Structures are given as structure tokens and as C-alpha cells.
Amino acid sequence: MALPATLHHFAVQLADVDREVYQDLELRVARHPSETAEFMITRLLAYCLEYREGIAFSEGGVSSTDEPAVLVRDMTGRITAWIEVGAPDAERLHRGSKLAGRAAVYTHRDPAKVLAQLAGKRIHRAEDIPLYSFDRDFIDAAVAALDRRNTATLSVTERSLYLDLNGTNLSAPVEEHALV
């Protein structure tokens, strides 16, 4: 019998000054047994940094082979943004880029290794796909502050994150890398 997902609740006050997005979010994030806490935190940050109408975590979670970790759909149900987390394979990123108007990758891993894994591979519009990375110490500190019920304030200014997660104050830049 498969282990069930662990449900985490997040009450997030989002203030993305860069995009002029100010929103209070109540999120329930199911963490699959094979998903690391680092991946889940990165998935949450990707959701917040990409927040717009129609955004959702994929229904299958990390076990979904047909959808990315985070996606955005328009009112007709068409996918308009394909947001991968971690170190996606090139074929998946290629398919997502063709399917959606926009694709992006958010990673908690070493960006040089992720870029090396994708180098030379066929990826549709690779030049238009940003890879965003977070400092490893920032992710580790966020994981240490993680609980099943979480309150967070996330401010984004000039691509720098200021996160208060359950009373732990953290900050880090969001580094952007080009796939090609």
C-alpha cells in the first residue's frame, strides 16, 4: 500500500512589488512521500513568484507525468504557463514549452548542474525559458522553519526575496540563468 501525501497549510501574505501583485493566499500543499521538503518549498516559492489568475499546483503533484509542478490555465482551460521545479528533463521541458505560451524552471539544486543536464538537448524556445535558482542556505533555513501549519509573509523587491516563515526571517536573491 502506498504512503499517503502529507498535507501542509500555508497562509501567505504575498507582496510582489516587482510585478505589483499583492495577495493573501490560503494554500494546501500535498507533499508526496517521495518529495523532499526542499522541492516542496521551491514549488511553493515558484507558485508565489508566478502567481496570477488561473495558477494551480498540478493535480498529480510530483508523480504527475503529464503536468508540471505548477501551471497556469486561462478561462478556457488552455495551459498558458508551464512551471517546472527541480531538475526537469529536456523532453518534458520541450513539451511544456510547445504546449504553453510561457515556460520557466525554479530550482533548489545547483543551477550549473541543471544547465549542464539540459545543454545541447532539443528544447522548444529554450532561449525564452528562464531558470531561477535559490541559494541553498536560504532553502535549508526555510525547510528548518517548516511545519504542517505555516504562516508566511513573502515580499519580492528587485528579484530579492524576503520571507518570514513561522517567525523565521530569511532573505535571498532570485538568480536568473539562461538555458542557452
Side-chain angles (χ1 to χ4, degrees):
M1 180 163 86
L3 294 172
T6 302
L7 195 58
H8 292 267
H9 297 267
F10 291 89
V12 181
Q13 290 182 322
L14 174 63
D16 189 335
V17 177
D18 294 346
R19 297 186 308 129
E20 298 183 6
V21 173
Y22 306 94
Q23 195 73 37
D24 288 337
L25 307 170
E26 290 291 331
L27 302 171
R28 292 176 29 202
V29 181
R31 180 175 163 203
H32 190 273
S34 67
E35 181 179 9
T36 66
E38 292 83 2
F39 187 96
M40 185 184 71
I41 287 290
T42 305
R43 189 162 55 106
L44 174 72
L45 292 170
Y47 182 99
C48 292
L49 291 170
E50 294 287 333
Y51 183 81
R52 64 188 42 111
E53 188 172 330
I55 195 166
F57 293 112
S58 69
E59 290 183 25
V62 295
S63 62
S64 175
T65 57
D66 296 336
E67 295 182 338
V70 178
L71 52 81
V72 179
R73 294 184 187 274
D74 66 13
M75 294 184 75
T76 67
R78 186 178 68 85
I79 297 174
T80 59
W82 184 279
I83 313 302
E84 291 285 359
V85 172
D89 66 26
E91 183 179 315
R92 199 174 150 93
L93 201 50
H94 174 76
R95 188 167 85 62
S97 180
K98 285 180 77 171
L99 183 65
R102 179 175 181 283
V105 178
Y106 286 82
T107 191
H108 57 288
R109 299 183 179 194
D110 180 350
K113 290 181 181 176
V114 176
L115 291 170
Q117 167 190 313
L118 298 173
K121 303 281 175 47
R122 188 173 141 234
I123 301 173
H124 182 71
R125 294 187 339 230
E127 66 279 358
D128 297 332
I129 302 173
L131 170 73
Y132 299 109
S133 65
F134 303 107
D135 179 73
R136 187 61 196 198
D137 291 338
F138 172 81
I139 294 295
D140 290 343
V143 166
L146 188 63
D147 206 347
R148 293 280 300 275
R149 292 199 162 279
N150 302 276
T151 57
T153 302
L154 178 63
S155 300
V156 184
T157 304
E158 297 178 2
R159 292 310 276 176
S160 288
L161 299 180
Y162 301 93
L163 174 66
D164 178 311
L165 179 60
N166 300 324
T168 300
N169 292 302
L170 308 166
S171 64
V174 179
E175 300 290 334
E176 183 173 347
H177 313 271
L179 289 190
V180 291

